[in-house]
Amino acid sequence: AWREYMRRYNNGRGVVLIGHSQGTGMLTQLVREKIDPFPAIREQLVSALLIGGNVTVKRGSDKGGAFKKVPACHTKRELHCVVAYSVFNQTPPDNTLFGRANGRFEQSLGLPVRTDVEVLCNNPAALGGGLAPLATFAPTSPFPGTLGLGIQLLFNGAPPTAPTPWIQPQDHYTGRCEQRDGANVLLIEPFGKARKLNPAPDPSWGLHL
């Protein structure tokens, strides 16, 4: 699909890649094999937003893990770079799926084990680092199936109703990338009267849903 798109439809335009969970795993492979090795294609990569999928970097570096050339984004004006994070509101447990390299998530995708890497976290609200308020958006229609039930557990109830497909709730949170018990995660905290979010389906997932 990527080769067909680039050959027939791209016409030299910039590309933004957006993935979550398994989608991030698939796009990580795409960037590693079809974008990272090729300078001209890297120049067309506006950014890759690879959320909840344990994108790795070499310890102490912003690349050298999943990608040799494509680095982490450090400012909102930077191009040809990656934003990646996994969201928790408490220290990830020992059996966490996200935040630690070479865990269950990577094993499920058949990725090689490396001892010199760590999971990348860059705060989308403060790419240079530090604490920042997060803008929250929520759909007004329930997500279908068992995933929808998990989201209701996470939010402590059904989503708010409104005549629009999406709303910006009054609940507000702050986020900061932190290393907790060997895991690199985007740790969020409520402020004001914001509801406390529940890790779902269990603490090893954090706020992935």
Side-chain angles (χ1 to χ4, degrees), residues 56-72 117:
T56 57
V57 292
K58 200 165 184 177
R59 285 200 187 97
S61 178
D62 64 356
K63 55 189 174 183
F67 316 126
K68 292 181 179 179
K69 300 289 187 180
V70 177
V117 296

Side-chain angles (χ1 to χ4, degrees), residues 19-154:
H20 178 259
S21 196
Q22 288 175 305
T24 284
M26 296 169 71
L27 289 180
T28 298
Q29 180 181 3
L30 175 67
V31 173
R32 184 170 60 246
E33 296 179 0
K34 304 299 183 185
I35 297 175
D36 193 61
F38 307 106
I41 304 299
R42 289 201 307 270
E43 283 295 308
Q44 286 183 253
L45 179 67
V46 177
S47 62
L49 312 178
L50 304 181
I51 314 307
N54 288 354
V55 175
T56 57
V57 292
K58 200 165 184 177
R59 285 200 187 97
S61 178
D62 64 356
K63 55 189 174 183
F67 316 126
K68 292 181 179 179
K69 300 289 187 180
V70 177
C73 298
H74 297 286
T75 74
K76 63 184 180 180
R77 293 183 179 275
E78 190 175 357
L79 300 174
H80 326 305
C81 58
V82 175
V83 176
Y85 55 88
S86 293
V87 185
F88 283 76
N89 61 352
Q90 60 189 30
T91 299
D94 291 341
N95 67 336
T96 181
L97 281 165
F98 307 105
R100 290 195 189 94
N102 304 316
R104 287 189 291 155
F105 182 83
E106 288 92 331
Q107 292 169 15
S108 71
L109 296 173
L111 298 176
V113 173
R114 289 181 58 179
T115 60
D116 61 338
V117 296
E118 61 187 6
V119 171
L120 171 64
C121 179
N122 42 5
N123 184 349
L127 290 171
L131 185 72
L134 303 172
T136 305
F137 298 90
T140 54
S141 298
F143 204 90
T146 54
L147 186 57
L149 294 175
I151 292 172
Q152 286 195 37
L153 290 172
L154 189 149

